[in-house]
Amino acid sequence: EGDYPWATLSPDSKQLACLYKKEGKIRIFDVDSLKMVKEVPRQGIFWQLGWSPDGKEFCGTANVQGEDWNIVTYSIASGKLTLISRILDCTPDWFPDSRGCIYSHRNPGLGSDDGGAAAQRIGQSGTNYSWTMIAMADREGKDRKLVVAEQYKHLYFATLSPDNKYVIYTRLDKDGSL
């Protein structure tokens, strides 16, 4: 009681949505009274819950359809879950105009071009962590685009400027080295 995990504010700052992984729920609270106004199943979302600027959907990192670490959008009104990316994706954020999400993507099929030597020098185990990308997709997952990719860096937490012209993201030498 009193905990508000993965809290995200509604666009008007009147409500707070929280992800309760163990209970399998997303709960929406009124900010002034802290009374719960709605509860929905989390539908596989386990991390990084975000509320769209238009107030209609959530996004999050989810384990769904037999795949781990996917980005989904979730209609608050209908409960419809839409898979917008697959395999090893995380840290989603909404475009300022709510038309889609930007997120971190790693494709294990893209091997290193040096057999993993550079990854080992920076303390990264294995060779399947060579490339990390920032990608974007529309809210239906039909139009996906690469924003930036870099070998032996870990690119996370991308966000767009209010005018959609610039991307800001973290660029880590080693996974988990915040």
Side-chain angles (χ1 to χ4, degrees):
E1 191 172 331
D3 289 340
Y4 299 93
W6 287 107
T8 183
L9 280 171
S10 64
D12 63 7
S13 299
K14 293 181 179 180
Q15 295 183 324
L16 182 71
C18 298
L19 176 62
Y20 291 84
K21 292 190 315 186
K22 289 181 185 173
E23 294 91 344
K25 305 288 184 188
I26 295 171
R27 294 184 180 124
I28 301 173
F29 299 91
D30 174 78
V31 169
D32 291 333
S33 69
L34 293 179
K35 291 185 180 179
M36 186 172 60
V37 296
K38 187 170 187 169
E39 181 178 83
V40 296
R42 69 177 175 88
Q43 295 199 61
I45 298 174
F46 68 92
W47 204 19
Q48 300 148 330
L49 183 66
W51 206 320
S52 65
D54 66 8
K56 296 178 181 178
E57 294 184 72
F58 295 125
C59 69
T61 305
N63 295 335
V64 293
Q65 298 179 9
E67 298 289 342
D68 294 338
W69 295 86
N70 305 283
I71 304 303
V72 296
T73 59
Y74 185 154
S75 169
I76 297 167
S78 71
K80 179 186 174 200
L81 192 75
T82 302
L83 183 67
I84 67 168
S85 76
R86 292 187 70 93
I87 306 173
L88 297 178
D89 298 323
C90 64
T91 64
D93 192 29
W94 284 97
F95 293 1
D97 59 8
S98 298
R99 67 181 166 84
C101 293
I102 188 165
Y103 53 91
S104 178
H105 173 72
R106 183 170 291 142
N107 185 335
L110 295 176
S112 67
D113 56 8
D114 66 357
Q120 290 173 352
R121 276 196 305 276
I122 63 169
Q124 201 63 257
S125 62
T127 59
N128 63 339
Y129 286 102
S130 80
W131 289 93
T132 305
M133 299 152 227
I134 299 294
M136 58 175 57
D138 67 3
R139 69 194 308 157
E140 293 295 323
K142 294 181 178 168
D143 183 23
R144 296 184 190 129
K145 293 184 172 118
L146 175 66
V147 176
V148 64
E150 194 165 345
Q151 196 169 21
Y152 308 121
K153 296 290 181 183
H154 296 272
L155 314 178
Y156 298 115
F157 304 108
T159 191
L160 289 163
S161 63
D163 61 4
N164 287 325
K165 290 183 180 181
Y166 302 97
V167 176
I168 299 169
Y169 57 92
T170 62
R171 183 177 175 264
L172 305 172
D173 287 332
K174 185 177 178 184
D175 202 12
S177 63
L178 288 176

